Amino acid sequence: MTEQLEHLLAQPTPADLTLHFAEPISARIHAHVLGIIPELVDDFVTTVVYGTDGHAKHEFGRRAIKARRQSPGDDVLSDLIASDLTDDEVLGLMMVLMVSGRDSVAYMIATSTVALFTHPDQLATLREKSDLMPTAVEEFLRFGAMFVGLFPRTATEDLEIDGVKIAAGQTISVSPVAANRDPQRFDDPEVFDVERDAFGHLGFGFGPHGCIGQQLARVEIRAAISALITRIPTLELIDADQLRVQPFQHEVPTYRAGKVLVSW
Ligand code: HEM
């Protein structure tokens, strides 16, 4: 975190917090947890995080697996290699994991910063009561959910939810953005309140296919936001793409982090 703060502080202001803080944190921690050897991390950032060539990404995946096979460690890739999966299965899973959640963590760090700096009373509360941080992270995820729709679910039997009939075989998709602002579940849902009990939000989805990276994501968001608000007391939000209507980022509708310009 210190290295990323120093990197941000070395930029001329206004600096883009998404580019110089949120994205590098999520990319480097993701690489470390997955087990990309340190010598390949810069290549991971160029080829996988910012690259657009699918073939080059696959080639990178193969190199990352080969390197880890030669020097196993305590990481996801080493566990996959040691399992009874075939090489193609390890590569397939690695390709999914290299992209899953990485930009979501960056998005949440950027979004949480925008939410706090546009609600100065909440920022002051969090600076004063740092033990609120775990609660606040749940509120960041409720208030700023990135996924407009979850991965669809298909009913295996006829059922009824809240008066709505769903027939066996019918596919439905739930929107975390809408569910997180459901007034039957959250009082004053449009209010951003770092002291509320926001647990039970759908920012990470729910059930057997809920997000497998959610505990890692919580730790990353907590560490990044704590570092920002405690170690740069003069931090100011100058402008953010998120303050205006933004196009969706992917075909699976998700919001974009966009530029978050800050000064200090
Ligand atoms: C703030 C960060 C993150 C957010 C907001 C997020 C959100 C989500 C959501 C909404 C889903 C769909 C859940 C559902 O349909 O019920 C999901 C699934 C998933 N996430 Fe995350 N995620 C984050 C971070 C991560 C990280 C760090 C990883 C990996 C290290 C990850 C890996 C996955 C995978 C593999 C799935 C698919 C699970 C399945 O289909 O069984 N996510 N995530």
Side-chain angles (χ1 to χ4, degrees):
M1 215 47 75
T2 300
E3 192 187 325
Q4 286 318 141
L5 274 182
E6 283 169 1
H7 174 72
L8 175 67
L9 292 171
Q11 306 306 315
T13 59
D16 181 3
L17 179 121
T18 302
L19 183 65
H20 296 296
F21 186 70
E23 286 178 350
I25 289 173
S26 68
R28 284 174 192 281
I29 295 181
H30 211 78
H32 175 73
V33 172
L34 288 188
I36 289 162
I37 61 162
E39 294 77 7
L40 286 182
V41 171
D42 285 344
D43 197 358
F44 170 73
V45 173
T46 319
T47 311
V48 180
V49 178
Y50 291 115
T52 51
D53 179 346
H55 182 69
K57 290 184 192 199
H58 263 88
E59 275 311 305
F60 176 84
R62 283 200 182 84
R63 267 187 292 137
I65 294 169
K66 190 173 167 204
R68 216 8 120 199
R69 206 182 282 286
Q70 285 161 2
S71 114
D74 181 14
D75 52 67
V76 174
L77 188 47
S78 299
D79 288 351
L80 291 177
I81 291 168
S83 72
D84 53 9
L85 294 174
T86 65
D87 287 0
D88 282 348
E89 286 168 338
V90 172
L91 180 64
L93 273 173
M94 192 59 183
M95 295 313 292
V96 171
L97 289 171
M98 283 197 300
V99 295
S100 300
R102 198 200 57 238
D103 58 349
S104 315
V105 171
Y107 169 88
M108 280 312 309
I109 295 172
T111 299
S112 311
T113 308
V114 174
L116 281 174
F117 282 81
T118 50
H119 297 82
D121 56 327
Q122 298 301 304
L123 174 60
T125 303
L126 203 51
R127 277 188 163 137
E128 209 176 293
K129 304 182 199 168
S130 57
D131 57 335
L132 277 180
M133 191 50 86
T135 316
V137 169
E138 301 308 318
E139 178 65 347
F140 299 156
L141 286 152
R142 183 195 73 85
F143 192 75
M146 171 184 179
F147 285 72
V148 181
L150 289 182
F151 302 132
R153 268 47 171 191
T154 303
T156 53
E157 57 190 54
D158 291 347
L159 53 114
E160 186 171 323
I161 302 176
D162 211 11
V164 179
K165 288 188 174 20
I166 300 164
Q170 206 177 351
T171 299
I172 59 160
S173 178
V174 171
S175 167
V177 169
N180 288 356
R181 308 246 176 156
D182 179 356
Q184 288 183 35
R185 174 65 182 78
F186 298 106
D187 292 339
D188 299 322
E190 297 303 327
V191 174
F192 174 61
D193 176 2
V194 293
E195 292 184 89
R196 83 155 75 226
D197 176 10
F199 204 77
H201 61 77
L202 289 190
F204 289 122
F206 186 72
H209 286 283
C211 178
I212 59 163
Q214 55 185 283
Q215 304 306 357
L216 171 64
R218 286 185 167 100
V219 172
E220 289 186 62
I221 299 164
R222 193 161 67 211
I225 299 297
S226 297
L228 267 186
I229 67 175
T230 57
R231 291 166 62 184
I232 320 183
T234 55
L235 193 73
E236 276 179 66
L237 179 68
I238 304 297
D239 191 22
D241 287 347
Q242 296 190 14
L243 299 175
R244 293 171 285 277
V245 176
Q246 286 281 288
F248 292 145
Q249 188 172 15
H250 300 299
E251 278 170 19
V252 177
T254 56
Y255 289 121
R256 295 177 57 229
K259 281 195 174 119
V260 176
L261 298 179
V262 292
S263 188
W264 47 85

